Amino acid sequence: MPFQLIIRNNLKHDADSFTGSELGVFEQETARIGSSDECDCQVLDQEGRGGDEVWFEIEQRRRDFFLHRRAADLEIYINHQLTLEPTTPLTSGDTIRVGHWTFRLQRLSDRARAVVRADWSASLSKALIATLILLQLVIALWLPGQLNYAQIVPDKIIEQETIILLDHTRRHAATFPRQSLEREVDRAAWRLVSAELDRIAAYMRRHQPSITPYHWQQINRDLSMYRDMLDQISDQELVPNPPPPAIDQAVQALVRATAYSINDNLSQSRQPMKDNP
């Protein structure tokens, strides 16, 4: 099983902790690290340990790792602890430090094979999600056009229309222009309509859940009549002004009728009376 070393020169990278490190991947069971040409991982720099030597070896035995010291006078730290043993066991993730060089050991696992069943499950899930989205689009776009709301909820439609008509008519009556109420007949009619609208509103608040569709239609017709009455009051067409009385013609007609009655009585009184036999 291969392993890798993440190699970092801490002197060079000390000013920038996020600078990338070097990576060494080893397929064999043993890897030699040091400054010698025969090392599998050769590290050289002017500031560090010079010479031509092998510092240590990393050996892999199945799933275990071991560090073998090769330079006797070399200080090796494992996870910040100085080790003087010639052979030290290692674990994947351990950090080895020699001078200003650090080596982090990482075990590499074989890539997992793709499971055909998992692939089928993922494809089936995607197909189900796409089908569900398509079904939702059909319901949202196509189905509303196939429904006749006037046949499905006629009772609710007449109820909502009546409530809206009541609100508009009461608002119209409450904001009625005062210049349209100069005549007494218009003021009386406006007071009557306003009182009836308040009475209908109070009735609807108390009995709205139990009002039948037939009564909703009756209330709607009454509200339409009151709305028309308000429009007629505004135009002063509710009761037209009576024409001025023809006083002269009436007096002359009365005089003629009175004179005719007096003359008729006088003529009857002048006739001779017949003697009785």
Side-chain angles (χ1 to χ4, degrees):
M1 182 180 295
F3 64 93
Q4 67 182 15
L5 290 176
I6 302 174
I7 307 165
R8 186 178 180 86
N9 185 346
N10 291 304
L11 285 182
K12 182 182 298 184
H13 299 156
D14 184 59
D16 187 357
S17 300
F18 298 97
T19 304
S21 304
E22 298 179 5
L23 180 65
V25 180
F26 307 95
E27 300 287 344
Q28 65 275 18
E29 294 182 352
T30 302
R32 290 172 291 184
I33 294 92
S35 58
S36 175
D37 293 338
E38 63 184 40
C39 293
D40 300 300
C41 178
Q42 186 180 21
V43 289
L44 296 174
D45 64 274
Q46 299 178 356
E47 297 84 358
R49 182 183 177 96
D52 185 7
E53 58 183 345
V54 179
W55 296 347
F56 58 89
E57 292 181 356
I58 295 180
E59 180 185 6
Q60 182 180 12
R61 302 176 189 171
R62 295 184 180 178
R63 299 186 62 84
D64 299 325
F65 294 93
F66 297 91
L67 183 144
H68 302 289
R69 179 190 295 272
R70 290 293 177 260
D73 61 339
L74 186 65
E75 292 184 350
I76 300 177
Y77 293 83
I78 298 178
N79 297 330
H80 307 291
Q81 297 292 329
L82 177 63
T83 177
L84 301 177
E85 300 295 330
T87 300
T88 305
L90 297 174
T91 304
S92 178
D94 287 347
T95 299
I96 305 165
R97 183 171 66 84
V98 177
H100 57 82
W101 290 94
T102 56
F103 308 85
R104 181 178 295 276
L105 175 66
Q106 296 287 344
R107 185 196 310 275
L108 297 179
S109 301
D110 295 335
R111 180 175 296 180
R113 294 181 303 170
V115 180
V116 178
R117 182 179 303 174
D119 292 344
W120 278 106
S121 300
S123 301
L124 181 60
S125 300
K126 294 177 181 178
L128 290 176
I129 293 174
T131 304
L132 181 60
I133 294 175
L134 181 61
L135 182 61
Q136 291 177 343
L137 290 175
V138 170
I139 294 175
L141 300 178
W142 175 80
L143 186 59
Q146 307 301 315
L147 299 178
N148 188 349
Y149 292 99
Q151 296 180 357
I152 296 176
V153 285
D155 299 345
K156 288 298 180 181
I157 290 178
I158 187 63
E159 178 181 344
Q160 294 301 319
E161 288 179 350
T162 305
I163 293 174
I164 294 174
L165 179 59
L166 175 62
D167 292 339
H168 289 176
T169 308
R170 294 188 69 194
R171 190 181 303 112
H172 185 195
T175 59
F176 207 77
R178 299 304 175 186
Q179 60 270 19
S180 300
L181 301 176
E182 296 178 354
R183 299 189 307 169
E184 181 62 30
V185 63
D186 294 333
R187 288 194 297 271
W190 172 75
R191 294 192 191 98
L192 177 62
V193 171
S194 299
E196 287 297 314
L197 292 176
D198 293 339
R199 187 178 64 84
I200 293 175
Y203 174 81
M204 289 172 55
R205 282 194 297 267
R206 291 194 303 268
H207 305 287
Q208 181 174 352
S210 59
I211 299 177
T212 63
Y214 174 74
H215 289 138
W216 279 117
Q217 293 177 358
Q218 285 186 324
I219 296 173
N220 191 284
R221 286 194 294 268
D222 292 343
L223 291 175
S224 299
M225 179 186 66
Y226 293 140
R227 179 192 58 190
D228 296 340
M229 289 180 63
L230 289 175
D231 293 339
Q232 292 175 353
I233 294 172
S234 178
D235 298 335
Q236 295 184 353
E237 296 177 353
L238 182 63
V239 178
N241 292 323
I247 299 177
D248 296 338
Q249 293 84 346
V251 171
Q252 292 176 5
L254 179 61
V255 170
R256 286 195 299 269
T258 304
Y260 176 79
S261 177
I262 293 173
N263 294 331
D264 186 44
N265 291 334
L266 290 175
S267 62
Q268 291 180 2
S269 62
R270 291 174 181 173
Q271 291 180 0
M273 298 181 62
K274 296 179 180 181
D275 297 333
N276 289 330

